[in-house]
Amino acid sequence: MSKMYINSFKETALFKGFSEQEIVQSLACLDGYSQAYRKKEIIINKEERLHSIGVVLRGTLFMCKEDPMGMRFIFSELNAGAIVGETALHAGQQQTGYEITAATDCEVLFIRIDQIVRPGQVICSLRARIIENLVSLILHKNQELYDKLDIVTHKNLRNKILYYLQQQAKKNNSPSFTIPFSREELAYYLGVDRSALSRELSRMKAEGFLTYSRNAFRVLQSE
């Protein structure tokens, strides 16, 4: 296992507080395997029944869903160190109902969930700590869902844009930052029309609320 990947594992909720030696030992016990994907390739489809969780080793993934009218939404972006498919923790999990797609070329390490929370026998002394970290992960994911709900509950397009950009500024501890989305992807994420989004961004720029170049933004003021 390369040093680069070990560093990625250190950033995940799954291995929080683990030393490098403990991570290597845990991976040996959990019998994981890695899979590379090309940009736009589907990693988990909406009909799939999950048996594994994944750790993003490199690249960026999108969690997506389509409504009955075919409108696509991006729920979240998953970068190196993020966890994929944690809904496999739910006993009797049926179809996922969402897709995980590769936003860039990427690689994911998969671990069967029954090797973590439902093993036939104790596989290593570190398993209990991994389960504790999974609980923390679920709480963090719940907070992310609340944050996304805060965005979509704004009826006004400008307020949606401002709220999202202010979240990104807070996340980056700077009024200047780069977002992970193209214009089309940002429209999917906010649940708005792409043309309307582009027009509103242009108006906000002209009115001095922000500046931007492609996906690099600087928030100047808020309403």
Side-chain angles (χ1 to χ4, degrees):
M1 184 66 62
S2 72
K3 179 74 172 180
M4 178 184 68
Y5 287 166
I6 292 297
N7 288 336
S8 293
F9 292 134
K10 283 183 176 180
E11 299 301 317
T12 68
L14 189 63
F15 295 108
K16 182 179 179 181
F18 281 56
S19 67
E20 290 185 13
Q21 182 178 358
E22 288 172 333
I23 290 173
V24 172
Q25 181 183 347
S26 297
L27 292 174
C29 290
L30 297 173
D31 193 26
Y33 67 95
S34 63
Q35 178 71 45
Y37 297 91
R38 303 290 293 177
K39 182 178 179 179
K40 296 186 177 181
E41 191 173 353
I42 295 175
I43 297 169
I44 297 174
N45 65 57
K46 62 184 179 181
E47 290 86 17
E48 189 168 348
R49 297 184 181 185
L50 299 178
H51 302 288
S52 302
I53 61 171
V55 180
V56 183
L57 299 179
R58 60 178 176 86
T60 300
L61 284 58
F62 287 155
M63 181 178 178
C64 311
K65 188 178 179 70
E66 285 190 2
D67 68 11
M69 302 300 294
M71 178 67 179
R72 188 167 181 257
F73 296 91
I74 297 177
F75 283 102
S76 62
E77 45 125 0
L78 306 166
N79 296 306
I83 303 295
V84 180
E86 69 280 356
T87 51
L89 291 166
H90 175 59
Q93 174 70 31
Q94 300 300 312
Q95 296 176 342
T96 63
Y98 61 83
E99 283 186 351
I100 301 291
T101 61
T104 65
D105 290 352
C106 60
E107 188 169 2
V108 181
L109 174 84
F110 289 100
I111 302 170
R112 285 188 60 87
I113 199 64
D114 57 13
Q115 292 293 314
I116 301 176
V117 296
R118 294 188 296 274
Q121 59 184 1
V122 176
I123 55 176
C124 68
S125 60
L126 299 173
R127 184 172 63 87
R129 288 171 59 191
I130 293 175
I131 293 172
E132 290 177 2
N133 286 344
L134 281 171
V135 173
S136 296
L137 168 66
I138 293 169
L139 295 175
H140 178 72
K141 286 289 186 180
N142 283 343
Q143 184 58 55
E144 288 183 340
L145 289 175
Y146 285 126
D147 291 342
K148 182 61 184 290
L149 283 173
D150 284 340
I151 293 175
V152 299
T153 53
H154 283 90
K155 300 299 183 182
N156 181 277
L157 175 57
R158 177 170 294 196
N159 289 341
K160 282 187 178 184
I161 295 170
L162 277 175
Y163 187 84
Y164 169 73
L165 294 178
Q166 288 165 357
Q167 279 189 322
Q168 294 302 303
K170 183 177 180 180
K171 178 180 177 180
N172 289 275
N173 296 312
S174 171
S176 300
F177 49 86
T178 300
I179 67 173
F181 303 126
S182 66
R183 288 292 178 274
E184 182 178 31
E185 290 165 345
L186 180 58
Y188 289 153
Y189 184 79
L190 298 178
V192 301
D193 177 76
R194 177 182 175 178
S195 297
L197 172 64
S198 295
R199 288 194 299 269
E200 189 61 31
L201 283 172
S202 295
R203 283 194 287 263
M204 293 170 70
K205 185 176 184 179
E207 294 171 18
F209 285 96
L210 52 85
T211 61
Y212 61 85
S213 177
R214 299 178 68 85
N215 62 340
F217 284 81
R218 180 176 179 85
V219 176
L220 302 177
Q221 58 174 301
S222 60
E223 291 185 324

